Amino acid sequence: KLRSFKAEEFSIMVYSLGVLNFRHHDLLAAVIQEAPAALPRFSTQNMSNLLHGLGLVGFDRDDGFVRLVADHLASRLSEATAQDIANPVTALMRMCIPHDGFLRTTAAFVTSPGSKLPLRDFTPQELANTVYGFDALQVFDSPLFEQVAAETLSRVEDFIPQEVANVIWAF
């Protein structure tokens, strides 16, 4: 049946497995086989949710598949929301899959002058999760960290203690 799945059905199913903390190896293996052909039909939210769900279940079977999805997302960052960025970064961190290409492309996208998605558009949680994920994966992008620091200081009252702790930990 997976061959007939709509793009969002892949991400909904994997995300649901993640929320339930249920790792069904055969089903995930089938997703790895069928999802790549559907990636061009995925929205950035679908890709983000797929990666986030894989991170929640502690997926550890195919780093190449995870990188393929992240590469596809990186090629479509102009369509992404802040959540579409923060969730995959967190997922890569949970799965311990460093992906310098995705992370560097993402950092350049959100920190470039005139970005369609500047860090000021990120919620405190999205800022904290993003910078924490970069730190955990040992990818240190100076402009990203500098802009996150400035943005955090300008809105520190909006952050809950855990978000502040995550930002501080990243530095």
Side-chain angles (χ1 to χ4, degrees):
K1 279 195 154 210
L2 288 178
R3 284 191 181 108
S4 63
F5 266 34
K6 296 176 185 170
E8 64 270 10
E9 292 171 332
F10 283 104
S11 62
I12 291 167
M13 180 182 58
V14 172
Y15 179 74
S16 297
L17 290 173
V19 169
L20 296 170
N21 196 25
F22 181 67
R23 189 188 303 189
H24 191 292
H25 294 292
D26 293 339
L27 182 56
L28 292 171
V31 167
I32 291 168
Q33 293 296 331
E34 300 298 330
L39 279 177
R41 297 189 313 272
F42 275 52
S43 69
T44 56
Q45 182 181 4
N46 296 152
M47 288 180 268
S48 172
N49 289 346
L50 178 64
L51 291 171
H52 188 60
L54 292 172
L56 290 174
V57 297
F59 181 75
D60 60 359
R61 295 290 173 137
D62 193 326
D63 290 2
F65 172 74
V66 172
R67 286 188 176 97
L68 174 71
V69 176
D71 284 340
H72 197 76
L73 178 57
S75 74
R76 295 178 48 199
L77 286 176
S78 64
E79 303 167 39
T81 66
Q83 186 175 16
D84 295 341
I85 289 172
N87 284 351
V89 170
T90 302
L92 291 171
M93 176 191 70
R94 281 190 180 123
M95 292 181 281
C96 299
I97 300 175
H99 189 313
D100 285 356
F102 172 74
L103 295 170
R104 298 274 181 215
T105 299
T106 298
F109 181 75
V110 300
T111 61
S112 67
S115 173
K116 292 174 80 173
L117 187 58
L119 291 172
R120 72 175 170 271
D121 292 349
F122 282 54
T123 65
Q125 181 180 11
E126 293 161 348
L127 280 172
N129 289 352
T130 299
V131 76
Y132 186 80
F134 269 75
D135 174 62
L137 292 167
Q138 300 290 293
V139 176
F140 303 105
D141 183 87
S142 294
L144 176 71
F145 278 70
E146 290 166 8
Q147 288 184 33
V148 167
E151 195 61 38
T152 300
L153 287 173
S154 74
R155 297 193 275 155
V156 73
E157 299 86 18
D158 298 335
F159 284 67
I160 63 171
Q162 183 62 56
E163 294 161 350
V164 173
N166 286 356
V167 171
I168 291 170
W169 188 262
F171 288 86

